[in-house]
Amino acid sequence: MLDSHIAQAITQAVEDGFDRQMAFTKDLIRFPSIRGQEHSVQDFVYQALEKRGYAMTRFSMERDAIEAHEGGGKYSPEHSDAPIVIGTYSPRETHGKSLILQSHTDVVPTGPSDMWRFDPFDPQIDGDWLYGRGGADMKAGHAAMISAMDALTSAGLAPAARVEIQSVVEEESTGNGALMTFLKGHTADAVLIPEPEEEMLVRANVGTLWFEIELRGTPVHVREMGEGANAIDGAYRVIKSLREVEKRWNEDRHKHPHFRTLEHPINLNIGKIEGGDWGSSVPAWCKFQCRIAIYPGIKAADAAAEIENHIAAFAKTDRYLSDTPPKITFNGFYSEGYVQEPGSEAETILSHAHQVATGEPLNSFTTPGYLDCRVYRLYNDIPSLCYGPISENIHGFDERVSISSVRRITVAMALFIAEWCGTSNI
Ligand code: ZN
């Protein structure tokens, strides 16, 4: 257990550096780093870490290697080509365990900006809340992991094991950034990812699939509508049929211990739809984008096959769709879920750090959204701790993160690093 003088010095160092940490967080939010536009924020992170003395590496994603892996997200033209950035701290001598701290810099689109209270990329503070797209998910966590390391330095302490700071992209669409770090051989004794998890530890997490369904009909004038297959009407029918898969998978929740008590762990989201050309023509085409979750232990390929078979069987029963079956393309997440079983030493140390930082015991929970932790848990096979600040409206309007919570989790992370890696005096 960490010496109380050391814990005190680290807590004070986080406090002393907190204004700088918030300024850095705001700098990150100002980059509108939606998918494919993360290059400049990744550059900014590269420089911020280089200035601190980390050994820097930067690499691109390799499509062939990613697509050959069972958990590789499927490529589409929108796939980002921004680099992955890693800063490595190496101790003079090692007497603790190594650690990866990981965050993503990609953010989801803002939607109509007039639905926001403030400009989504102009961070604003009101009371305890910091507003901005990506502030909670997860630039506050990103700045917190770097600041936690800074706090150790300010307290005159150096981690006694290797620490890698990984800044990745594609977390919101494929998870390929995290996967690429694994494919490049990066690993450690544990990983900590400070996603906005309400100051709790993620115990279990779903996998995610993305796919697009495209329908084609025969364009005719509306007066001959009976003869033309209406692709948009067809899309409604396919969506209704997909809800049966969602229902079936939700009914399966009792087979999955961490999901039993959740009311609706499997969500099918129809996230985007387009089709047709003209108000008085029967639409000849329609395509829509779907996202669905799967339980840990279910392979993405098996879930994908089930969806394909379901759609094919449904199309055979439908007068129009049987002639022109819907085309399904997997075009993003193709990931399995994970469970971080209790009992790891990493969790014990995080629980203690959390208790010291917040005065509360560390709770754990199951989340129904994708997390990069799956790469480290499933493929690196290391303890994977997803733990971060309190937030509201991530992926929605007025996304915001609690500033006091960011302060607490930064202290907890810094204490965790000190105890997991061990420390020596600078
Ligand atoms: Zn996130």
Side-chain angles (χ1 to χ4, degrees), residues 226-240:
E227 293 157 28
N230 183 316
I232 293 178
D233 282 343
Y236 275 101
R237 298 197 294 279
V238 174
I239 291 168
K240 190 163 169 235

Side-chain angles (χ1 to χ4, degrees), residues 104 137-138 171-172 195:
H104 64 86
D137 186 10
M138 63 174 294
E171 193 273 348
E172 300 287 6
E195 287 272 15

